[in-house]
Amino acid sequence: MELHQNGELVVRRDEVYFNDLGAVLADLIDDGTWRQIVIDVVDGKTAKMRKAA
């Protein structure tokens, strides 16, 4: 299994068995950004305009 980014080889895993496929894909693809909380602060004016619209 090979992971490419912008046409370049990033990593190669040999002998990936079907029962390990999900774990290997998660390891290659997951960069952990889903664990970071993102908060958007909305001031009162913006919130009222969005609510009315």
Side-chain angles (χ1 to χ4, degrees), residues 25-35:
L25 283 172
D27 184 44
L28 292 175
I29 296 171
D30 183 17
D31 63 358
T33 57
W34 63 272
R35 295 181 203 142

Side-chain angles (χ1 to χ4, degrees), residues 10-23:
V10 176
V11 67
R12 178 185 172 109
R13 297 277 175 94
D14 292 325
E15 297 184 25
V16 176
Y17 299 100
F18 182 77
N19 55 342
D20 296 328
L21 186 59

Side-chain angles (χ1 to χ4, degrees), residues 1-52:
M1 177 180 296
E2 295 181 348
L3 177 64
H4 292 259
Q5 186 173 11
N6 298 326
E8 293 187 33
L9 178 64
V10 176
V11 67
R12 178 185 172 109
R13 297 277 175 94
D14 292 325
E15 297 184 25
V16 176
Y17 299 100
F18 182 77
N19 55 342
D20 296 328
L21 186 59
V24 172
L25 283 172
D27 184 44
L28 292 175
I29 296 171
D30 183 17
D31 63 358
T33 57
W34 63 272
R35 295 181 203 142
Q36 298 174 356
I37 297 173
V38 178
I39 298 173
D40 293 327
V41 177
V42 180
D43 64 5
K45 293 178 184 179
T46 305
K48 288 178 184 177
M49 289 189 306
R50 287 185 181 173
K51 192 174 186 180

